[in-house]
PDB file of all heavy atoms in Angstrom:
ATOM      1  N   THR A   1      -9.326  -8.282 -16.829  1.00  0.00           N
ATOM      2  CA  THR A   1      -9.852  -9.352 -15.969  1.00  0.00           C
ATOM      3  C   THR A   1      -8.665 -10.034 -15.256  1.00  0.00           C
ATOM      4  O   THR A   1      -7.910 -10.580 -15.974  1.00  0.00           O
ATOM      5  CB  THR A   1     -10.792 -10.262 -16.805  1.00  0.00           C
ATOM      6  OG1 THR A   1     -11.893  -9.610 -17.290  1.00  0.00           O
ATOM      7  CG2 THR A   1     -11.191 -11.459 -15.920  1.00  0.00           C
ATOM      8  N   ALA A   2      -8.661 -10.095 -13.950  1.00  0.00           N
ATOM      9  CA  ALA A   2      -7.682 -10.830 -13.202  1.00  0.00           C
ATOM     10  C   ALA A   2      -7.991 -10.722 -11.731  1.00  0.00           C
ATOM     11  O   ALA A   2      -8.900 -10.225 -11.269  1.00  0.00           O
ATOM     12  CB  ALA A   2      -6.280  -9.974 -13.392  1.00  0.00           C
ATOM     13  N   VAL A   3      -7.220 -11.531 -10.996  1.00  0.00           N
ATOM     14  CA  VAL A   3      -7.265 -11.444  -9.613  1.00  0.00           C
ATOM     15  C   VAL A   3      -6.280 -10.314  -9.227  1.00  0.00           C
ATOM     16  O   VAL A   3      -5.081 -10.471  -9.590  1.00  0.00           O
ATOM     17  CB  VAL A   3      -6.848 -12.803  -8.935  1.00  0.00           C
ATOM     18  CG1 VAL A   3      -6.799 -12.539  -7.336  1.00  0.00           C
ATOM     19  CG2 VAL A   3      -7.869 -13.794  -9.171  1.00  0.00           C
ATOM     20  N   TYR A   4      -6.614  -9.459  -8.489  1.00  0.00           N
ATOM     21  CA  TYR A   4      -5.818  -8.227  -8.030  1.00  0.00           C
ATOM     22  C   TYR A   4      -5.375  -8.412  -6.655  1.00  0.00           C
ATOM     23  O   TYR A   4      -6.192  -8.728  -5.724  1.00  0.00           O
ATOM     24  CB  TYR A   4      -6.589  -6.960  -8.225  1.00  0.00           C
ATOM     25  CG  TYR A   4      -6.711  -6.489  -9.669  1.00  0.00           C
ATOM     26  CD1 TYR A   4      -7.615  -7.174 -10.538  1.00  0.00           C
ATOM     27  CD2 TYR A   4      -5.956  -5.361 -10.211  1.00  0.00           C
ATOM     28  CE1 TYR A   4      -7.614  -6.830 -11.832  1.00  0.00           C
ATOM     29  CE2 TYR A   4      -6.080  -5.090 -11.510  1.00  0.00           C
ATOM     30  CZ  TYR A   4      -6.913  -5.725 -12.334  1.00  0.00           C
ATOM     31  OH  TYR A   4      -7.044  -5.365 -13.648  1.00  0.00           O
ATOM     32  N   TYR A   5      -4.049  -8.289  -6.416  1.00  0.00           N
ATOM     33  CA  TYR A   5      -3.460  -8.519  -5.186  1.00  0.00           C
ATOM     34  C   TYR A   5      -2.842  -7.233  -4.620  1.00  0.00           C
ATOM     35  O   TYR A   5      -2.140  -6.581  -5.322  1.00  0.00           O
ATOM     36  CB  TYR A   5      -2.316  -9.585  -5.222  1.00  0.00           C
ATOM     37  CG  TYR A   5      -2.851 -10.918  -5.551  1.00  0.00           C
ATOM     38  CD1 TYR A   5      -2.881 -11.392  -6.955  1.00  0.00           C
ATOM     39  CD2 TYR A   5      -3.187 -11.881  -4.661  1.00  0.00           C
ATOM     40  CE1 TYR A   5      -3.235 -12.606  -7.381  1.00  0.00           C
ATOM     41  CE2 TYR A   5      -3.663 -13.155  -5.085  1.00  0.00           C
ATOM     42  CZ  TYR A   5      -3.708 -13.547  -6.388  1.00  0.00           C
ATOM     43  OH  TYR A   5      -4.096 -14.809  -6.689  1.00  0.00           O
ATOM     44  N   CYS A   6      -3.066  -6.921  -3.405  1.00  0.00           N
ATOM     45  CA  CYS A   6      -2.473  -5.876  -2.730  1.00  0.00           C
ATOM     46  C   CYS A   6      -1.015  -6.347  -2.269  1.00  0.00           C
ATOM     47  O   CYS A   6      -0.841  -7.457  -1.846  1.00  0.00           O
ATOM     48  CB  CYS A   6      -3.360  -5.407  -1.539  1.00  0.00           C
ATOM     49  SG  CYS A   6      -2.712  -3.948  -0.640  1.00  0.00           S
ATOM     50  N   TYR A   7      -0.110  -5.339  -2.328  1.00  0.00           N
ATOM     51  CA  TYR A   7       1.162  -5.727  -1.943  1.00  0.00           C
ATOM     52  C   TYR A   7       1.890  -4.636  -1.103  1.00  0.00           C
ATOM     53  O   TYR A   7       1.497  -3.452  -1.203  1.00  0.00           O
ATOM     54  CB  TYR A   7       2.048  -5.901  -3.251  1.00  0.00           C
ATOM     55  CG  TYR A   7       3.557  -5.684  -3.125  1.00  0.00           C
ATOM     56  CD1 TYR A   7       4.307  -6.916  -2.932  1.00  0.00           C
ATOM     57  CD2 TYR A   7       4.226  -4.556  -3.316  1.00  0.00           C
ATOM     58  CE1 TYR A   7       5.620  -6.857  -2.886  1.00  0.00           C
ATOM     59  CE2 TYR A   7       5.621  -4.569  -3.330  1.00  0.00           C
ATOM     60  CZ  TYR A   7       6.336  -5.636  -3.036  1.00  0.00           C
ATOM     61  OH  TYR A   7       7.623  -5.628  -3.028  1.00  0.00           O
ATOM     62  N   ALA A   8       2.775  -4.960  -0.228  1.00  0.00           N
ATOM     63  CA  ALA A   8       3.561  -4.061   0.670  1.00  0.00           C
ATOM     64  C   ALA A   8       4.943  -4.539   0.829  1.00  0.00           C
ATOM     65  O   ALA A   8       5.153  -5.737   1.006  1.00  0.00           O
ATOM     66  CB  ALA A   8       2.972  -3.724   1.904  1.00  0.00           C
ATOM     67  N   ARG A   9       5.910  -3.579   0.829  1.00  0.00           N
ATOM     68  CA  ARG A   9       7.285  -3.910   1.122  1.00  0.00           C
ATOM     69  C   ARG A   9       7.845  -3.022   2.197  1.00  0.00           C
ATOM     70  O   ARG A   9       7.682  -1.830   2.117  1.00  0.00           O
ATOM     71  CB  ARG A   9       8.082  -3.761  -0.172  1.00  0.00           C
ATOM     72  CG  ARG A   9       9.520  -4.300  -0.020  1.00  0.00           C
ATOM     73  CD  ARG A   9      10.391  -4.026  -1.276  1.00  0.00           C
ATOM     74  NE  ARG A   9      10.586  -2.618  -1.647  1.00  0.00           N
ATOM     75  CZ  ARG A   9      10.033  -2.043  -2.697  1.00  0.00           C
ATOM     76  NH1 ARG A   9       9.399  -2.742  -3.622  1.00  0.00           N
ATOM     77  NH2 ARG A   9      10.321  -0.747  -2.896  1.00  0.00           N
ATOM     78  N   SER A  10       8.434  -3.621   3.210  1.00  0.00           N
ATOM     79  CA  SER A  10       8.992  -2.793   4.229  1.00  0.00           C
ATOM     80  C   SER A  10      10.375  -2.220   3.876  1.00  0.00           C
ATOM     81  O   SER A  10      11.067  -2.928   3.083  1.00  0.00           O
ATOM     82  CB  SER A  10       9.086  -3.679   5.581  1.00  0.00           C
ATOM     83  OG  SER A  10      10.014  -4.850   5.380  1.00  0.00           O
ATOM     84  N   GLY A  11      10.730  -1.180   4.554  1.00  0.00           N
ATOM     85  CA  GLY A  11      11.946  -0.605   4.356  1.00  0.00           C
ATOM     86  C   GLY A  11      13.136  -1.286   5.199  1.00  0.00           C
ATOM     87  O   GLY A  11      12.835  -2.385   5.785  1.00  0.00           O
ATOM     88  N   ASN A  12      14.222  -0.669   5.235  1.00  0.00           N
ATOM     89  CA  ASN A  12      15.350  -1.232   5.980  1.00  0.00           C
ATOM     90  C   ASN A  12      15.222  -0.936   7.434  1.00  0.00           C
ATOM     91  O   ASN A  12      16.025  -0.272   7.990  1.00  0.00           O
ATOM     92  CB  ASN A  12      16.657  -0.733   5.468  1.00  0.00           C
ATOM     93  CG  ASN A  12      17.799  -1.448   5.840  1.00  0.00           C
ATOM     94  OD1 ASN A  12      17.730  -2.633   6.241  1.00  0.00           O
ATOM     95  ND2 ASN A  12      18.966  -0.766   5.858  1.00  0.00           N
ATOM     96  N   TYR A  13      14.243  -1.545   8.071  1.00  0.00           N
ATOM     97  CA  TYR A  13      14.012  -1.337   9.533  1.00  0.00           C
ATOM     98  C   TYR A  13      14.020  -2.769  10.205  1.00  0.00           C
ATOM     99  O   TYR A  13      13.326  -3.648   9.662  1.00  0.00           O
ATOM    100  CB  TYR A  13      12.708  -0.717   9.858  1.00  0.00           C
ATOM    101  CG  TYR A  13      12.523   0.717   9.162  1.00  0.00           C
ATOM    102  CD1 TYR A  13      11.669   0.854   8.031  1.00  0.00           C
ATOM    103  CD2 TYR A  13      13.215   1.736   9.568  1.00  0.00           C
ATOM    104  CE1 TYR A  13      11.471   2.000   7.432  1.00  0.00           C
ATOM    105  CE2 TYR A  13      12.960   3.045   8.909  1.00  0.00           C
ATOM    106  CZ  TYR A  13      12.206   3.092   7.865  1.00  0.00           C
ATOM    107  OH  TYR A  13      11.983   4.315   7.336  1.00  0.00           O
ATOM    108  N   ALA A  14      14.716  -2.830  11.228  1.00  0.00           N
ATOM    109  CA  ALA A  14      14.695  -4.063  12.042  1.00  0.00           C
ATOM    110  C   ALA A  14      13.288  -4.212  12.679  1.00  0.00           C
ATOM    111  O   ALA A  14      12.732  -3.216  13.101  1.00  0.00           O
ATOM    112  CB  ALA A  14      15.676  -4.095  13.154  1.00  0.00           C
ATOM    113  N   PRO A  15      12.676  -5.426  12.648  1.00  0.00           N
ATOM    114  CA  PRO A  15      13.328  -6.717  12.127  1.00  0.00           C
ATOM    115  C   PRO A  15      12.810  -7.025  10.711  1.00  0.00           C
ATOM    116  O   PRO A  15      12.802  -8.272  10.288  1.00  0.00           O
ATOM    117  CB  PRO A  15      12.735  -7.629  13.114  1.00  0.00           C
ATOM    118  CG  PRO A  15      11.397  -7.158  13.360  1.00  0.00           C
ATOM    119  CD  PRO A  15      11.432  -5.664  13.406  1.00  0.00           C
ATOM    120  N   TYR A  16      12.354  -5.989   9.942  1.00  0.00           N
ATOM    121  CA  TYR A  16      11.668  -6.363   8.704  1.00  0.00           C
ATOM    122  C   TYR A  16      12.584  -6.532   7.451  1.00  0.00           C
ATOM    123  O   TYR A  16      12.609  -7.519   6.766  1.00  0.00           O
ATOM    124  CB  TYR A  16      10.627  -5.289   8.484  1.00  0.00           C
ATOM    125  CG  TYR A  16       9.602  -5.220   9.689  1.00  0.00           C
ATOM    126  CD1 TYR A  16       9.649  -4.103  10.496  1.00  0.00           C
ATOM    127  CD2 TYR A  16       8.697  -6.241   9.842  1.00  0.00           C
ATOM    128  CE1 TYR A  16       8.717  -4.039  11.521  1.00  0.00           C
ATOM    129  CE2 TYR A  16       7.875  -6.129  10.877  1.00  0.00           C
ATOM    130  CZ  TYR A  16       7.950  -5.084  11.696  1.00  0.00           C
ATOM    131  OH  TYR A  16       7.036  -5.117  12.838  1.00  0.00           O
ATOM    132  N   PHE A  17      13.443  -5.453   7.273  1.00  0.00           N
ATOM    133  CA  PHE A  17      14.498  -5.504   6.164  1.00  0.00           C
ATOM    134  C   PHE A  17      14.010  -6.031   4.916  1.00  0.00           C
ATOM    135  O   PHE A  17      14.391  -7.005   4.379  1.00  0.00           O
ATOM    136  CB  PHE A  17      15.629  -6.390   6.769  1.00  0.00           C
ATOM    137  CG  PHE A  17      16.379  -5.847   7.975  1.00  0.00           C
ATOM    138  CD1 PHE A  17      16.280  -6.523   9.176  1.00  0.00           C
ATOM    139  CD2 PHE A  17      17.093  -4.638   7.986  1.00  0.00           C
ATOM    140  CE1 PHE A  17      16.855  -6.072  10.376  1.00  0.00           C
ATOM    141  CE2 PHE A  17      17.686  -4.076   9.110  1.00  0.00           C
ATOM    142  CZ  PHE A  17      17.610  -4.791  10.275  1.00  0.00           C
ATOM    143  N   GLY A  18      13.123  -5.230   4.253  1.00  0.00           N
ATOM    144  CA  GLY A  18      12.626  -5.538   3.027  1.00  0.00           C
ATOM    145  C   GLY A  18      11.683  -6.667   2.869  1.00  0.00           C
ATOM    146  O   GLY A  18      11.467  -7.320   1.708  1.00  0.00           O
ATOM    147  N   SER A  19      10.936  -6.994   3.944  1.00  0.00           N
ATOM    148  CA  SER A  19       9.958  -8.056   3.909  1.00  0.00           C
ATOM    149  C   SER A  19       8.912  -7.626   2.927  1.00  0.00           C
ATOM    150  O   SER A  19       8.404  -6.490   2.799  1.00  0.00           O
ATOM    151  CB  SER A  19       9.445  -8.315   5.242  1.00  0.00           C
ATOM    152  OG  SER A  19      10.562  -8.895   6.159  1.00  0.00           O
ATOM    153  N   GLU A  20       8.315  -8.675   2.310  1.00  0.00           N
ATOM    154  CA  GLU A  20       7.133  -8.487   1.394  1.00  0.00           C
ATOM    155  C   GLU A  20       5.893  -9.121   1.923  1.00  0.00           C
ATOM    156  O   GLU A  20       5.945 -10.185   2.519  1.00  0.00           O
ATOM    157  CB  GLU A  20       7.489  -9.011   0.028  1.00  0.00           C
ATOM    158  CG  GLU A  20       8.663  -8.294  -0.680  1.00  0.00           C
ATOM    159  CD  GLU A  20       8.890  -8.741  -2.083  1.00  0.00           C
ATOM    160  OE1 GLU A  20       8.675  -9.995  -2.323  1.00  0.00           O
ATOM    161  OE2 GLU A  20       9.308  -7.933  -2.960  1.00  0.00           O
ATOM    162  N   TYR A  21       4.737  -8.498   1.703  1.00  0.00           N
ATOM    163  CA  TYR A  21       3.418  -8.910   2.161  1.00  0.00           C
ATOM    164  C   TYR A  21       2.419  -8.874   1.098  1.00  0.00           C
ATOM    165  O   TYR A  21       2.411  -7.973   0.127  1.00  0.00           O
ATOM    166  CB  TYR A  21       2.931  -8.058   3.305  1.00  0.00           C
ATOM    167  CG  TYR A  21       3.930  -7.898   4.452  1.00  0.00           C
ATOM    168  CD1 TYR A  21       4.832  -6.851   4.407  1.00  0.00           C
ATOM    169  CD2 TYR A  21       4.061  -8.868   5.457  1.00  0.00           C
ATOM    170  CE1 TYR A  21       5.845  -6.796   5.445  1.00  0.00           C
ATOM    171  CE2 TYR A  21       4.979  -8.777   6.472  1.00  0.00           C
ATOM    172  CZ  TYR A  21       5.951  -7.687   6.523  1.00  0.00           C
ATOM    173  OH  TYR A  21       6.795  -7.584   7.562  1.00  0.00           O
ATOM    174  N   TRP A  22       1.614  -9.877   1.090  1.00  0.00           N
ATOM    175  CA  TRP A  22       0.547  -9.944   0.095  1.00  0.00           C
ATOM    176  C   TRP A  22      -0.894 -10.226   0.566  1.00  0.00           C
ATOM    177  O   TRP A  22      -0.977 -10.910   1.588  1.00  0.00           O
ATOM    178  CB  TRP A  22       0.880 -11.244  -0.931  1.00  0.00           C
ATOM    179  CG  TRP A  22       2.117 -11.026  -1.749  1.00  0.00           C
ATOM    180  CD1 TRP A  22       3.316 -11.482  -1.313  1.00  0.00           C
ATOM    181  CD2 TRP A  22       2.246 -10.423  -3.037  1.00  0.00           C
ATOM    182  NE1 TRP A  22       4.235 -11.198  -2.346  1.00  0.00           N
ATOM    183  CE2 TRP A  22       3.534 -10.519  -3.280  1.00  0.00           C
ATOM    184  CE3 TRP A  22       1.226  -9.842  -3.938  1.00  0.00           C
ATOM    185  CZ2 TRP A  22       3.990 -10.015  -4.611  1.00  0.00           C
ATOM    186  CZ3 TRP A  22       1.722  -9.293  -5.052  1.00  0.00           C
ATOM    187  CH2 TRP A  22       3.103  -9.420  -5.445  1.00  0.00           C
ATOM    188  N   GLY A  23      -1.803  -9.660   0.010  1.00  0.00           N
ATOM    189  CA  GLY A  23      -3.187  -9.905   0.373  1.00  0.00           C
ATOM    190  C   GLY A  23      -3.590 -11.225  -0.373  1.00  0.00           C
ATOM    191  O   GLY A  23      -2.888 -11.810  -1.102  1.00  0.00           O
ATOM    192  N   GLN A  24      -4.880 -11.639  -0.081  1.00  0.00           N
ATOM    193  CA  GLN A  24      -5.390 -12.873  -0.706  1.00  0.00           C
ATOM    194  C   GLN A  24      -5.941 -12.764  -2.038  1.00  0.00           C
ATOM    195  O   GLN A  24      -6.177 -13.762  -2.781  1.00  0.00           O
ATOM    196  CB  GLN A  24      -6.429 -13.438   0.220  1.00  0.00           C
ATOM    197  CG  GLN A  24      -5.922 -13.891   1.660  1.00  0.00           C
ATOM    198  CD  GLN A  24      -4.832 -15.110   1.514  1.00  0.00           C
ATOM    199  OE1 GLN A  24      -5.078 -16.082   0.852  1.00  0.00           O
ATOM    200  NE2 GLN A  24      -3.721 -14.794   1.954  1.00  0.00           N
ATOM    201  N   GLY A  25      -6.144 -11.469  -2.419  1.00  0.00           N
ATOM    202  CA  GLY A  25      -6.629 -11.178  -3.830  1.00  0.00           C
ATOM    203  C   GLY A  25      -8.072 -11.041  -3.925  1.00  0.00           C
ATOM    204  O   GLY A  25      -8.885 -11.476  -3.076  1.00  0.00           O
ATOM    205  N   THR A  26      -8.503 -10.222  -4.815  1.00  0.00           N
ATOM    206  CA  THR A  26      -9.933  -9.879  -5.122  1.00  0.00           C
ATOM    207  C   THR A  26     -10.154 -10.005  -6.656  1.00  0.00           C
ATOM    208  O   THR A  26      -9.372  -9.468  -7.454  1.00  0.00           O
ATOM    209  CB  THR A  26     -10.396  -8.638  -4.554  1.00  0.00           C
ATOM    210  OG1 THR A  26     -11.759  -8.406  -4.741  1.00  0.00           O
ATOM    211  CG2 THR A  26      -9.633  -7.555  -5.255  1.00  0.00           C
ATOM    212  N   GLN A  27     -11.244 -10.681  -6.975  1.00  0.00           N
ATOM    213  CA  GLN A  27     -11.472 -10.840  -8.447  1.00  0.00           C
ATOM    214  C   GLN A  27     -12.064  -9.731  -9.109  1.00  0.00           C
ATOM    215  O   GLN A  27     -13.031  -9.151  -8.582  1.00  0.00           O
ATOM    216  CB  GLN A  27     -12.381 -12.039  -8.608  1.00  0.00           C
ATOM    217  CG  GLN A  27     -12.870 -12.324 -10.065  1.00  0.00           C
ATOM    218  CD  GLN A  27     -11.618 -12.905 -10.806  1.00  0.00           C
ATOM    219  OE1 GLN A  27     -10.852 -13.860 -10.417  1.00  0.00           O
ATOM    220  NE2 GLN A  27     -11.486 -12.400 -12.125  1.00  0.00           N
TER     221      GLN A  27
END
C-alpha cells in the first residue's frame, strides 16, 4: 500500500543533462 509515482531521467542530451521528472502519483 503506497502512492506510486512514475519517474523518468533524461540522458546526457542538451538541454536536459540528467533531468528527472515525476508524475503526481496514484494510490
Side-chain angles (χ1 to χ4, degrees):
T1 295
V3 177
Y4 284 72
Y5 296 91
C6 188
Y7 165 87
R9 183 180 68 243
S10 62
N12 191 25
Y13 305 107
Y16 304 106
F17 297 111
S19 297
E20 296 181 327
Y21 306 93
W22 295 91
Q24 293 300 305
T26 187
Q27 177 70 47

